[in-house]
């Protein structure tokens, strides 16, 4: 049994090292292709006609898709190896949500689909890794965009006594009840014929669920065929500065010595270039 476990660990580590190496080797040429296609499309090397602009745009879009697939595979390898690490802090959640909503617009199958923000007046205070939380949120929004041909996509944020929720609701094709857990399995897409029409690896949802669970939260699905789907992220609220101060005063009154609490400061996430 120990020998089998050791072999499995060695194979997993080898796979992770291989993915890291492949990622490094592929990122540079993909970035080169994407950047030069963008430069040419902008006319910086000379005039281009509409057909050339269209072709260059397709090259650039395909390059970004290839990079996205590569990132998903690398994330999966890190998850399997237990190497996924989060840098959690208090962040500007409105900025994170707006970044994700702005990014998903280019993924819409129909430009007339409405992107609706249903935000609270007062945003919740949550400890998150802004990069990874945005990744999970964008995966959900991108999934909604992929399977919604008309209507609207809503990002709804709510705060409760101990938790906050971020729900992505769409008016898309919906998912049968018997597949509500299947879609969170790696490389699984429900309708193979439809999957060929809608680009994806089948890794976005399982990676998103792992990211949210790493934050101590949950990712759930409520969906009805023909009516749409709602994916809901639920995360615990961070202690308020007042409660941290109260705990420190209580410890002092009881003669206990505790490590000094450091109140995380809001950090605005970097916008994608």
């Amino acid at each position: 049994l120990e020998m089998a476990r050791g072999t499995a660990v060695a194979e997993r580590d080898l796979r992770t090292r291989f993915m890291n190496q492949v990622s490094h080797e592929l990122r540079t040429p993909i970035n080169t292709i994407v950047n030069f296609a963008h430069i040419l499309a902008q006319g910086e090397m000379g005039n281009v006609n509409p057909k050339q602009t269209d072709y260059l745009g397709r090259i650039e879009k395909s390059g970004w898709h290839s990079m996205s697939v590569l990132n998903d595979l690398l994330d999966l390898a890190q998850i399997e190896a237990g190497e996924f690490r989060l840098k959690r802090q208090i962040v500007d959640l409105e900025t994170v949500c707006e970044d994700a909503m702005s990014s998903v617009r280019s993924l819409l199958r129909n430009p007339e689909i409405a992107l609706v923000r249903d935000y609270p007046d007062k945003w919740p205070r949550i400890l998150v890794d802004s990069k990874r939380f945005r990744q999970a949120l964008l995966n959900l929004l991108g999934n909604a965009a992929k399977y919604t041909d008309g209507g609207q996509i809503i990002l709804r944020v709510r705060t409760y006594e101990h938790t906050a929720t971020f729900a992505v609701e769409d008016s898309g094709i919906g998912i049968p009840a018997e597949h509500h857990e299947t879609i969170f399995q790696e490389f699984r897409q429900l309708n193979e014929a439809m999957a060929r029409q809608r680009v994806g690896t089948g890794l976005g949802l399982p990676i998103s669920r792992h990211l949210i669970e790493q934050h101590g939260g949950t990712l759930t699905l409520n969906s009805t065929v023909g009516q749409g789907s709602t994916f809901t992220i639920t995360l615990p609220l961070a202690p308020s500065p007042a409660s941290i101060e109260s705990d420190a005063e209580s410890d002092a009154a009881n003669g206990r010595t505790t490590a000094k609490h450091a109140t995380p400061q809001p950090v605005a996430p970097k916008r994608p270039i």
Side-chain angles (χ1 to χ4, degrees):
L1 184 61
E2 286 298 324
M3 184 178 296
R5 184 181 293 111
T7 300
V9 170
E11 290 178 351
R12 183 195 65 195
D13 292 344
L14 179 62
R15 185 167 61 249
T16 301
R17 289 197 300 271
F18 172 75
M19 284 304 304
N20 285 330
Q21 184 64 30
V22 168
S23 171
H24 175 74
E25 294 296 332
L26 291 180
R27 283 176 189 274
T28 299
I30 291 176
N31 270 320
T32 301
I33 292 169
V34 168
N35 289 331
F36 274 111
H38 180 76
I39 290 171
L40 291 172
Q42 296 300 309
E44 295 184 23
M45 303 299 293
N47 294 331
V48 290
N49 61 45
K51 180 175 287 188
Q52 291 170 329
T53 300
D54 177 55
Y55 289 165
L56 289 167
R58 295 186 189 188
I59 292 172
E60 187 176 357
K61 186 175 182 179
S62 295
W64 283 122
H65 171 64
S66 297
M67 186 67 78
S68 175
V69 171
L70 184 62
N71 288 336
D72 281 348
L73 291 172
L74 184 58
D75 284 346
L76 180 61
Q78 290 177 332
I79 289 170
E80 290 180 342
E83 296 178 352
F84 227 84
R85 299 291 182 267
L86 299 178
K87 297 179 180 178
R88 299 173 63 191
Q89 56 190 326
I90 300 297
V91 301
D92 182 347
L93 289 172
E94 184 175 7
T95 299
V96 176
C97 289
E98 277 303 297
D99 275 352
M101 288 290 274
S102 297
S103 297
V104 81
R105 180 164 293 282
S106 63
L107 304 178
L108 295 176
R109 295 173 59 81
N110 178 356
E112 295 185 1
I113 293 174
L115 291 178
V116 180
R117 284 102 164 146
D118 186 358
Y119 295 160
D121 293 330
K122 183 178 180 181
W123 284 79
R125 190 170 181 273
I126 299 175
L127 286 166
V128 295
D129 182 314
S130 61
K131 176 183 176 182
R132 295 306 186 179
F133 177 67
R134 179 185 180 278
Q135 178 184 352
L137 197 58
L138 188 54
N139 278 343
L140 299 183
L141 288 166
N143 195 69
K146 188 188 303 183
Y147 293 103
T148 301
D149 294 322
Q152 61 185 10
I153 296 172
I154 305 171
L155 175 55
R156 181 174 289 112
V157 183
R158 293 288 183 269
T159 305
Y160 300 96
E161 185 177 0
H162 300 295
T163 62
T165 60
F166 301 79
V168 175
E169 178 182 328
D170 66 60
S171 54
I173 61 175
I175 301 168
E178 63 269 24
H179 295 305
H180 283 192
E181 285 301 316
T182 305
I183 60 169
F184 290 105
Q185 297 174 10
E186 295 153 9
F187 302 108
R188 294 298 297 269
Q189 292 179 314
L190 301 184
N191 187 318
E192 295 300 329
M194 186 173 293
R196 285 192 290 270
Q197 302 172 20
R198 293 164 163 85
V199 178
T201 61
L203 288 175
L205 290 177
I207 288 174
S208 295
R209 173 170 274 187
H210 176 82
L211 291 174
I212 297 306
E213 289 177 347
Q214 284 282 90
H215 281 86
T218 60
L219 173 56
T220 56
L221 166 64
N222 181 32
S223 182
T224 302
V225 175
Q227 297 183 22
S229 303
T230 301
F231 288 88
T232 303
I233 295 172
T234 302
L235 291 170
L237 296 178
S240 67
S243 68
I244 293 175
E245 187 74 23
S246 175
D247 288 344
E249 290 176 356
S250 176
D251 287 340
N254 290 317
R256 291 194 297 266
T257 302
T258 59
K260 184 178 180 181
H261 292 276
T263 302
Q265 297 300 313
V267 177
K270 295 181 179 179
R271 291 183 176 273
I273 297 175

PDB file of all heavy atoms in Angstrom, residues 119-150:
ATOM      1  N   TYR A 119     -26.420  45.267  -7.095  1.00  0.00           N
ATOM      2  CA  TYR A 119     -25.429  45.421  -6.036  1.00  0.00           C
ATOM      3  C   TYR A 119     -26.051  46.033  -4.780  1.00  0.00           C
ATOM      4  O   TYR A 119     -27.029  46.782  -4.866  1.00  0.00           O
ATOM      5  CB  TYR A 119     -24.285  46.331  -6.495  1.00  0.00           C
ATOM      6  CG  TYR A 119     -23.448  45.801  -7.637  1.00  0.00           C
ATOM      7  CD1 TYR A 119     -22.675  46.673  -8.402  1.00  0.00           C
ATOM      8  CD2 TYR A 119     -23.415  44.448  -7.949  1.00  0.00           C
ATOM      9  CE1 TYR A 119     -21.885  46.207  -9.447  1.00  0.00           C
ATOM     10  CE2 TYR A 119     -22.635  43.975  -8.993  1.00  0.00           C
ATOM     11  CZ  TYR A 119     -21.867  44.863  -9.742  1.00  0.00           C
ATOM     12  OH  TYR A 119     -21.088  44.398 -10.773  1.00  0.00           O
ATOM     13  N   PRO A 120     -25.468  45.773  -3.619  1.00  0.00           N
ATOM     14  CA  PRO A 120     -25.969  46.372  -2.371  1.00  0.00           C
ATOM     15  C   PRO A 120     -25.442  47.797  -2.201  1.00  0.00           C
ATOM     16  O   PRO A 120     -24.441  48.182  -2.824  1.00  0.00           O
ATOM     17  CB  PRO A 120     -25.392  45.446  -1.294  1.00  0.00           C
ATOM     18  CG  PRO A 120     -24.099  44.970  -1.892  1.00  0.00           C
ATOM     19  CD  PRO A 120     -24.354  44.833  -3.372  1.00  0.00           C
ATOM     20  N   ASP A 121     -26.120  48.579  -1.373  1.00  0.00           N
ATOM     21  CA  ASP A 121     -25.629  49.926  -1.070  1.00  0.00           C
ATOM     22  C   ASP A 121     -24.326  49.852  -0.281  1.00  0.00           C
ATOM     23  O   ASP A 121     -23.412  50.655  -0.479  1.00  0.00           O
ATOM     24  CB  ASP A 121     -26.680  50.703  -0.263  1.00  0.00           C
ATOM     25  CG  ASP A 121     -27.934  50.989  -1.089  1.00  0.00           C
ATOM     26  OD1 ASP A 121     -27.802  51.122  -2.321  1.00  0.00           O
ATOM     27  OD2 ASP A 121     -29.021  51.055  -0.500  1.00  0.00           O
ATOM     28  N   LYS A 122     -24.258  48.869   0.615  1.00  0.00           N
ATOM     29  CA  LYS A 122     -23.046  48.673   1.412  1.00  0.00           C
ATOM     30  C   LYS A 122     -22.475  47.300   1.083  1.00  0.00           C
ATOM     31  O   LYS A 122     -23.132  46.283   1.270  1.00  0.00           O
ATOM     32  CB  LYS A 122     -23.358  48.768   2.908  1.00  0.00           C
ATOM     33  CG  LYS A 122     -22.119  48.636   3.787  1.00  0.00           C
ATOM     34  CD  LYS A 122     -22.471  48.777   5.258  1.00  0.00           C
ATOM     35  CE  LYS A 122     -21.224  48.651   6.136  1.00  0.00           C
ATOM     36  NZ  LYS A 122     -21.564  48.769   7.584  1.00  0.00           N
ATOM     37  N   TRP A 123     -21.242  47.283   0.609  1.00  0.00           N
ATOM     38  CA  TRP A 123     -20.631  46.027   0.188  1.00  0.00           C
ATOM     39  C   TRP A 123     -20.153  45.217   1.392  1.00  0.00           C
ATOM     40  O   TRP A 123     -19.714  45.782   2.394  1.00  0.00           O
ATOM     41  CB  TRP A 123     -19.462  46.304  -0.754  1.00  0.00           C
ATOM     42  CG  TRP A 123     -19.935  46.675  -2.123  1.00  0.00           C
ATOM     43  CD1 TRP A 123     -20.404  47.883  -2.524  1.00  0.00           C
ATOM     44  CD2 TRP A 123     -20.027  45.810  -3.256  1.00  0.00           C
ATOM     45  NE1 TRP A 123     -20.780  47.839  -3.847  1.00  0.00           N
ATOM     46  CE2 TRP A 123     -20.557  46.578  -4.320  1.00  0.00           C
ATOM     47  CE3 TRP A 123     -19.706  44.472  -3.482  1.00  0.00           C
ATOM     48  CZ2 TRP A 123     -20.775  46.050  -5.589  1.00  0.00           C
ATOM     49  CZ3 TRP A 123     -19.919  43.940  -4.743  1.00  0.00           C
ATOM     50  CH2 TRP A 123     -20.453  44.723  -5.784  1.00  0.00           C
ATOM     51  N   PRO A 124     -20.224  43.887   1.291  1.00  0.00           N
ATOM     52  CA  PRO A 124     -19.761  43.036   2.399  1.00  0.00           C
ATOM     53  C   PRO A 124     -18.247  43.112   2.560  1.00  0.00           C
ATOM     54  O   PRO A 124     -17.524  43.486   1.634  1.00  0.00           O
ATOM     55  CB  PRO A 124     -20.198  41.630   1.975  1.00  0.00           C
ATOM     56  CG  PRO A 124     -20.290  41.693   0.479  1.00  0.00           C
ATOM     57  CD  PRO A 124     -20.751  43.082   0.168  1.00  0.00           C
ATOM     58  N   ARG A 125     -17.802  42.746   3.739  1.00  0.00           N
ATOM     59  CA  ARG A 125     -16.369  42.748   4.058  1.00  0.00           C
ATOM     60  C   ARG A 125     -15.910  41.291   4.116  1.00  0.00           C
ATOM     61  O   ARG A 125     -16.296  40.544   5.006  1.00  0.00           O
ATOM     62  CB  ARG A 125     -16.159  43.456   5.400  1.00  0.00           C
ATOM     63  CG  ARG A 125     -14.721  43.755   5.761  1.00  0.00           C
ATOM     64  CD  ARG A 125     -14.685  44.670   6.988  1.00  0.00           C
ATOM     65  NE  ARG A 125     -13.326  44.997   7.364  1.00  0.00           N
ATOM     66  CZ  ARG A 125     -12.578  44.256   8.164  1.00  0.00           C
ATOM     67  NH1 ARG A 125     -13.071  43.135   8.665  1.00  0.00           N
ATOM     68  NH2 ARG A 125     -11.345  44.615   8.460  1.00  0.00           N
ATOM     69  N   ILE A 126     -15.097  40.895   3.139  1.00  0.00           N
ATOM     70  CA  ILE A 126     -14.721  39.491   2.986  1.00  0.00           C
ATOM     71  C   ILE A 126     -13.223  39.379   2.726  1.00  0.00           C
ATOM     72  O   ILE A 126     -12.637  40.215   2.032  1.00  0.00           O
ATOM     73  CB  ILE A 126     -15.488  38.845   1.814  1.00  0.00           C
ATOM     74  CG1 ILE A 126     -16.986  38.892   2.063  1.00  0.00           C
ATOM     75  CG2 ILE A 126     -15.055  37.403   1.597  1.00  0.00           C
ATOM     76  CD1 ILE A 126     -17.797  38.396   0.899  1.00  0.00           C
ATOM     77  N   LEU A 127     -12.623  38.335   3.288  1.00  0.00           N
ATOM     78  CA  LEU A 127     -11.215  38.047   3.023  1.00  0.00           C
ATOM     79  C   LEU A 127     -11.127  37.135   1.804  1.00  0.00           C
ATOM     80  O   LEU A 127     -11.573  35.985   1.846  1.00  0.00           O
ATOM     81  CB  LEU A 127     -10.573  37.363   4.234  1.00  0.00           C
ATOM     82  CG  LEU A 127     -10.289  38.254   5.448  1.00  0.00           C
ATOM     83  CD1 LEU A 127      -9.980  37.394   6.669  1.00  0.00           C
ATOM     84  CD2 LEU A 127      -9.123  39.192   5.158  1.00  0.00           C
ATOM     85  N   VAL A 128     -10.580  37.656   0.707  1.00  0.00           N
ATOM     86  CA  VAL A 128     -10.454  36.852  -0.508  1.00  0.00           C
ATOM     87  C   VAL A 128      -9.110  37.118  -1.180  1.00  0.00           C
ATOM     88  O   VAL A 128      -8.471  38.146  -0.953  1.00  0.00           O
ATOM     89  CB  VAL A 128     -11.584  37.156  -1.530  1.00  0.00           C
ATOM     90  CG1 VAL A 128     -12.936  36.766  -0.989  1.00  0.00           C
ATOM     91  CG2 VAL A 128     -11.562  38.614  -1.960  1.00  0.00           C
ATOM     92  N   ASP A 129      -8.711  36.164  -1.997  1.00  0.00           N
ATOM     93  CA  ASP A 129      -7.612  36.374  -2.931  1.00  0.00           C
ATOM     94  C   ASP A 129      -8.258  37.012  -4.160  1.00  0.00           C
ATOM     95  O   ASP A 129      -9.014  36.361  -4.884  1.00  0.00           O
ATOM     96  CB  ASP A 129      -6.973  35.024  -3.283  1.00  0.00           C
ATOM     97  CG  ASP A 129      -5.786  35.156  -4.225  1.00  0.00           C
ATOM     98  OD1 ASP A 129      -5.903  35.896  -5.220  1.00  0.00           O
ATOM     99  OD2 ASP A 129      -4.757  34.504  -3.981  1.00  0.00           O
ATOM    100  N   SER A 130      -8.006  38.290  -4.386  1.00  0.00           N
ATOM    101  CA  SER A 130      -8.739  39.028  -5.422  1.00  0.00           C
ATOM    102  C   SER A 130      -8.580  38.398  -6.807  1.00  0.00           C
ATOM    103  O   SER A 130      -9.541  38.315  -7.578  1.00  0.00           O
ATOM    104  CB  SER A 130      -8.298  40.493  -5.453  1.00  0.00           C
ATOM    105  OG  SER A 130      -6.925  40.600  -5.758  1.00  0.00           O
ATOM    106  N   LYS A 131      -7.369  37.927  -7.125  1.00  0.00           N
ATOM    107  CA  LYS A 131      -7.129  37.323  -8.441  1.00  0.00           C
ATOM    108  C   LYS A 131      -7.945  36.053  -8.607  1.00  0.00           C
ATOM    109  O   LYS A 131      -8.609  35.843  -9.634  1.00  0.00           O
ATOM    110  CB  LYS A 131      -5.640  37.021  -8.606  1.00  0.00           C
ATOM    111  CG  LYS A 131      -5.301  36.300  -9.905  1.00  0.00           C
ATOM    112  CD  LYS A 131      -3.820  35.960  -9.966  1.00  0.00           C
ATOM    113  CE  LYS A 131      -3.498  35.143 -11.219  1.00  0.00           C
ATOM    114  NZ  LYS A 131      -2.059  34.767 -11.271  1.00  0.00           N
ATOM    115  N   ARG A 132      -7.933  35.189  -7.592  1.00  0.00           N
ATOM    116  CA  ARG A 132      -8.620  33.905  -7.694  1.00  0.00           C
ATOM    117  C   ARG A 132     -10.135  34.060  -7.571  1.00  0.00           C
ATOM    118  O   ARG A 132     -10.898  33.328  -8.212  1.00  0.00           O
ATOM    119  CB  ARG A 132      -8.085  32.943  -6.634  1.00  0.00           C
ATOM    120  CG  ARG A 132      -6.621  32.565  -6.838  1.00  0.00           C
ATOM    121  CD  ARG A 132      -6.377  32.016  -8.225  1.00  0.00           C
ATOM    122  NE  ARG A 132      -5.017  31.518  -8.401  1.00  0.00           N
ATOM    123  CZ  ARG A 132      -4.571  30.973  -9.520  1.00  0.00           C
ATOM    124  NH1 ARG A 132      -5.369  30.877 -10.575  1.00  0.00           N
ATOM    125  NH2 ARG A 132      -3.324  30.540  -9.610  1.00  0.00           N
ATOM    126  N   PHE A 133     -10.585  35.001  -6.751  1.00  0.00           N
ATOM    127  CA  PHE A 133     -12.029  35.236  -6.642  1.00  0.00           C
ATOM    128  C   PHE A 133     -12.566  35.778  -7.964  1.00  0.00           C
ATOM    129  O   PHE A 133     -13.621  35.356  -8.443  1.00  0.00           O
ATOM    130  CB  PHE A 133     -12.328  36.213  -5.510  1.00  0.00           C
ATOM    131  CG  PHE A 133     -13.790  36.558  -5.388  1.00  0.00           C
ATOM    132  CD1 PHE A 133     -14.710  35.592  -5.007  1.00  0.00           C
ATOM    133  CD2 PHE A 133     -14.243  37.832  -5.675  1.00  0.00           C
ATOM    134  CE1 PHE A 133     -16.066  35.896  -4.914  1.00  0.00           C
ATOM    135  CE2 PHE A 133     -15.586  38.145  -5.581  1.00  0.00           C
ATOM    136  CZ  PHE A 133     -16.502  37.177  -5.198  1.00  0.00           C
ATOM    137  N   ARG A 134     -11.822  36.703  -8.571  1.00  0.00           N
ATOM    138  CA  ARG A 134     -12.227  37.234  -9.876  1.00  0.00           C
ATOM    139  C   ARG A 134     -12.250  36.116 -10.913  1.00  0.00           C
ATOM    140  O   ARG A 134     -13.140  36.059 -11.764  1.00  0.00           O
ATOM    141  CB  ARG A 134     -11.269  38.340 -10.316  1.00  0.00           C
ATOM    142  CG  ARG A 134     -11.609  38.934 -11.686  1.00  0.00           C
ATOM    143  CD  ARG A 134     -10.553  39.931 -12.130  1.00  0.00           C
ATOM    144  NE  ARG A 134     -10.872  40.494 -13.427  1.00  0.00           N
ATOM    145  CZ  ARG A 134     -10.613  39.901 -14.590  1.00  0.00           C
ATOM    146  NH1 ARG A 134     -10.041  38.701 -14.598  1.00  0.00           N
ATOM    147  NH2 ARG A 134     -10.931  40.478 -15.730  1.00  0.00           N
ATOM    148  N   GLN A 135     -11.272  35.210 -10.851  1.00  0.00           N
ATOM    149  CA  GLN A 135     -11.223  34.084 -11.780  1.00  0.00           C
ATOM    150  C   GLN A 135     -12.477  33.228 -11.662  1.00  0.00           C
ATOM    151  O   GLN A 135     -13.088  32.859 -12.672  1.00  0.00           O
ATOM    152  CB  GLN A 135      -9.982  33.233 -11.507  1.00  0.00           C
ATOM    153  CG  GLN A 135      -9.861  32.000 -12.396  1.00  0.00           C
ATOM    154  CD  GLN A 135      -8.655  31.139 -12.018  1.00  0.00           C
ATOM    155  OE1 GLN A 135      -7.830  31.526 -11.196  1.00  0.00           O
ATOM    156  NE2 GLN A 135      -8.558  29.967 -12.618  1.00  0.00           N
ATOM    157  N   ALA A 136     -12.870  32.903 -10.430  1.00  0.00           N
ATOM    158  CA  ALA A 136     -14.068  32.085 -10.218  1.00  0.00           C
ATOM    159  C   ALA A 136     -15.312  32.810 -10.716  1.00  0.00           C
ATOM    160  O   ALA A 136     -16.172  32.219 -11.386  1.00  0.00           O
ATOM    161  CB  ALA A 136     -14.207  31.738  -8.737  1.00  0.00           C
ATOM    162  N   LEU A 137     -15.408  34.096 -10.403  1.00  0.00           N
ATOM    163  CA  LEU A 137     -16.570  34.885 -10.811  1.00  0.00           C
ATOM    164  C   LEU A 137     -16.645  34.990 -12.333  1.00  0.00           C
ATOM    165  O   LEU A 137     -17.719  34.833 -12.935  1.00  0.00           O
ATOM    166  CB  LEU A 137     -16.478  36.279 -10.183  1.00  0.00           C
ATOM    167  CG  LEU A 137     -17.748  37.127 -10.133  1.00  0.00           C
ATOM    168  CD1 LEU A 137     -18.847  36.402  -9.368  1.00  0.00           C
ATOM    169  CD2 LEU A 137     -17.440  38.471  -9.480  1.00  0.00           C
ATOM    170  N   LEU A 138     -15.500  35.226 -12.969  1.00  0.00           N
ATOM    171  CA  LEU A 138     -15.473  35.347 -14.424  1.00  0.00           C
ATOM    172  C   LEU A 138     -15.791  34.014 -15.094  1.00  0.00           C
ATOM    173  O   LEU A 138     -16.430  33.973 -16.151  1.00  0.00           O
ATOM    174  CB  LEU A 138     -14.106  35.865 -14.882  1.00  0.00           C
ATOM    175  CG  LEU A 138     -13.972  36.218 -16.371  1.00  0.00           C
ATOM    176  CD1 LEU A 138     -15.051  37.209 -16.794  1.00  0.00           C
ATOM    177  CD2 LEU A 138     -12.588  36.785 -16.659  1.00  0.00           C
ATOM    178  N   ASN A 139     -15.368  32.905 -14.482  1.00  0.00           N
ATOM    179  CA  ASN A 139     -15.732  31.590 -15.018  1.00  0.00           C
ATOM    180  C   ASN A 139     -17.247  31.414 -15.039  1.00  0.00           C
ATOM    181  O   ASN A 139     -17.815  30.896 -16.009  1.00  0.00           O
ATOM    182  CB  ASN A 139     -15.099  30.475 -14.176  1.00  0.00           C
ATOM    183  CG  ASN A 139     -13.653  30.207 -14.548  1.00  0.00           C
ATOM    184  OD1 ASN A 139     -13.184  30.598 -15.612  1.00  0.00           O
ATOM    185  ND2 ASN A 139     -12.935  29.541 -13.661  1.00  0.00           N
ATOM    186  N   LEU A 140     -17.913  31.825 -13.960  1.00  0.00           N
ATOM    187  CA  LEU A 140     -19.372  31.690 -13.888  1.00  0.00           C
ATOM    188  C   LEU A 140     -20.056  32.605 -14.904  1.00  0.00           C
ATOM    189  O   LEU A 140     -21.008  32.200 -15.582  1.00  0.00           O
ATOM    190  CB  LEU A 140     -19.864  32.015 -12.480  1.00  0.00           C
ATOM    191  CG  LEU A 140     -19.341  31.123 -11.351  1.00  0.00           C
ATOM    192  CD1 LEU A 140     -19.982  31.522 -10.023  1.00  0.00           C
ATOM    193  CD2 LEU A 140     -19.596  29.653 -11.643  1.00  0.00           C
ATOM    194  N   LEU A 141     -19.574  33.834 -15.010  1.00  0.00           N
ATOM    195  CA  LEU A 141     -20.151  34.773 -15.980  1.00  0.00           C
ATOM    196  C   LEU A 141     -19.896  34.301 -17.412  1.00  0.00           C
ATOM    197  O   LEU A 141     -20.771  34.392 -18.277  1.00  0.00           O
ATOM    198  CB  LEU A 141     -19.562  36.168 -15.770  1.00  0.00           C
ATOM    199  CG  LEU A 141     -20.032  36.907 -14.515  1.00  0.00           C
ATOM    200  CD1 LEU A 141     -19.136  38.110 -14.233  1.00  0.00           C
ATOM    201  CD2 LEU A 141     -21.486  37.357 -14.664  1.00  0.00           C
ATOM    202  N   GLY A 142     -18.685  33.786 -17.659  1.00  0.00           N
ATOM    203  CA  GLY A 142     -18.359  33.280 -18.986  1.00  0.00           C
ATOM    204  C   GLY A 142     -19.205  32.078 -19.350  1.00  0.00           C
ATOM    205  O   GLY A 142     -19.629  31.915 -20.505  1.00  0.00           O
ATOM    206  N   ASN A 143     -19.477  31.226 -18.371  1.00  0.00           N
ATOM    207  CA  ASN A 143     -20.333  30.066 -18.602  1.00  0.00           C
ATOM    208  C   ASN A 143     -21.754  30.512 -18.946  1.00  0.00           C
ATOM    209  O   ASN A 143     -22.402  29.958 -19.843  1.00  0.00           O
ATOM    210  CB  ASN A 143     -20.343  29.184 -17.355  1.00  0.00           C
ATOM    211  CG  ASN A 143     -20.906  27.804 -17.617  1.00  0.00           C
ATOM    212  OD1 ASN A 143     -20.292  26.994 -18.306  1.00  0.00           O
ATOM    213  ND2 ASN A 143     -22.084  27.534 -17.076  1.00  0.00           N
ATOM    214  N   ALA A 144     -22.231  31.536 -18.234  1.00  0.00           N
ATOM    215  CA  ALA A 144     -23.563  32.079 -18.527  1.00  0.00           C
ATOM    216  C   ALA A 144     -23.606  32.659 -19.936  1.00  0.00           C
ATOM    217  O   ALA A 144     -24.568  32.447 -20.689  1.00  0.00           O
ATOM    218  CB  ALA A 144     -23.927  33.148 -17.496  1.00  0.00           C
ATOM    219  N   ALA A 145     -22.558  33.385 -20.316  1.00  0.00           N
ATOM    220  CA  ALA A 145     -22.502  33.985 -21.653  1.00  0.00           C
ATOM    221  C   ALA A 145     -22.489  32.906 -22.736  1.00  0.00           C
ATOM    222  O   ALA A 145     -23.093  33.063 -23.803  1.00  0.00           O
ATOM    223  CB  ALA A 145     -21.265  34.871 -21.772  1.00  0.00           C
ATOM    224  N   LYS A 146     -21.816  31.803 -22.447  1.00  0.00           N
ATOM    225  CA  LYS A 146     -21.666  30.722 -23.427  1.00  0.00           C
ATOM    226  C   LYS A 146     -22.999  30.052 -23.746  1.00  0.00           C
ATOM    227  O   LYS A 146     -23.252  29.658 -24.889  1.00  0.00           O
ATOM    228  CB  LYS A 146     -20.678  29.692 -22.883  1.00  0.00           C
ATOM    229  CG  LYS A 146     -20.294  28.606 -23.883  1.00  0.00           C
ATOM    230  CD  LYS A 146     -19.462  27.517 -23.218  1.00  0.00           C
ATOM    231  CE  LYS A 146     -18.219  28.061 -22.564  1.00  0.00           C
ATOM    232  NZ  LYS A 146     -17.381  26.979 -21.974  1.00  0.00           N
ATOM    233  N   TYR A 147     -23.871  29.929 -22.737  1.00  0.00           N
ATOM    234  CA  TYR A 147     -25.111  29.173 -22.920  1.00  0.00           C
ATOM    235  C   TYR A 147     -26.365  30.044 -22.885  1.00  0.00           C
ATOM    236  O   TYR A 147     -27.462  29.550 -22.665  1.00  0.00           O
ATOM    237  CB  TYR A 147     -25.201  28.079 -21.857  1.00  0.00           C
ATOM    238  CG  TYR A 147     -24.147  27.014 -22.040  1.00  0.00           C
ATOM    239  CD1 TYR A 147     -23.011  26.986 -21.235  1.00  0.00           C
ATOM    240  CD2 TYR A 147     -24.271  26.057 -23.046  1.00  0.00           C
ATOM    241  CE1 TYR A 147     -22.021  26.020 -21.418  1.00  0.00           C
ATOM    242  CE2 TYR A 147     -23.295  25.093 -23.238  1.00  0.00           C
ATOM    243  CZ  TYR A 147     -22.174  25.082 -22.423  1.00  0.00           C
ATOM    244  OH  TYR A 147     -21.194  24.132 -22.613  1.00  0.00           O
ATOM    245  N   THR A 148     -26.187  31.344 -23.086  1.00  0.00           N
ATOM    246  CA  THR A 148     -27.332  32.256 -23.125  1.00  0.00           C
ATOM    247  C   THR A 148     -27.362  32.954 -24.478  1.00  0.00           C
ATOM    248  O   THR A 148     -26.419  33.652 -24.848  1.00  0.00           O
ATOM    249  CB  THR A 148     -27.236  33.308 -22.000  1.00  0.00           C
ATOM    250  OG1 THR A 148     -27.191  32.635 -20.735  1.00  0.00           O
ATOM    251  CG2 THR A 148     -28.442  34.237 -22.020  1.00  0.00           C
ATOM    252  N   ASP A 149     -28.450  32.752 -25.226  1.00  0.00           N
ATOM    253  CA  ASP A 149     -28.562  33.340 -26.561  1.00  0.00           C
ATOM    254  C   ASP A 149     -29.373  34.630 -26.567  1.00  0.00           C
ATOM    255  O   ASP A 149     -29.358  35.374 -27.548  1.00  0.00           O
ATOM    256  CB  ASP A 149     -29.203  32.336 -27.524  1.00  0.00           C
ATOM    257  CG  ASP A 149     -28.305  31.127 -27.761  1.00  0.00           C
ATOM    258  OD1 ASP A 149     -27.077  31.311 -27.839  1.00  0.00           O
ATOM    259  OD2 ASP A 149     -28.832  29.997 -27.854  1.00  0.00           O
ATOM    260  N   GLY A 150     -30.099  34.888 -25.493  1.00  0.00           N
ATOM    261  CA  GLY A 150     -30.903  36.102 -25.418  1.00  0.00           C
ATOM    262  C   GLY A 150     -31.347  36.349 -23.990  1.00  0.00           C
ATOM    263  O   GLY A 150     -31.154  35.514 -23.110  1.00  0.00           O
TER     264      GLY A 150
END
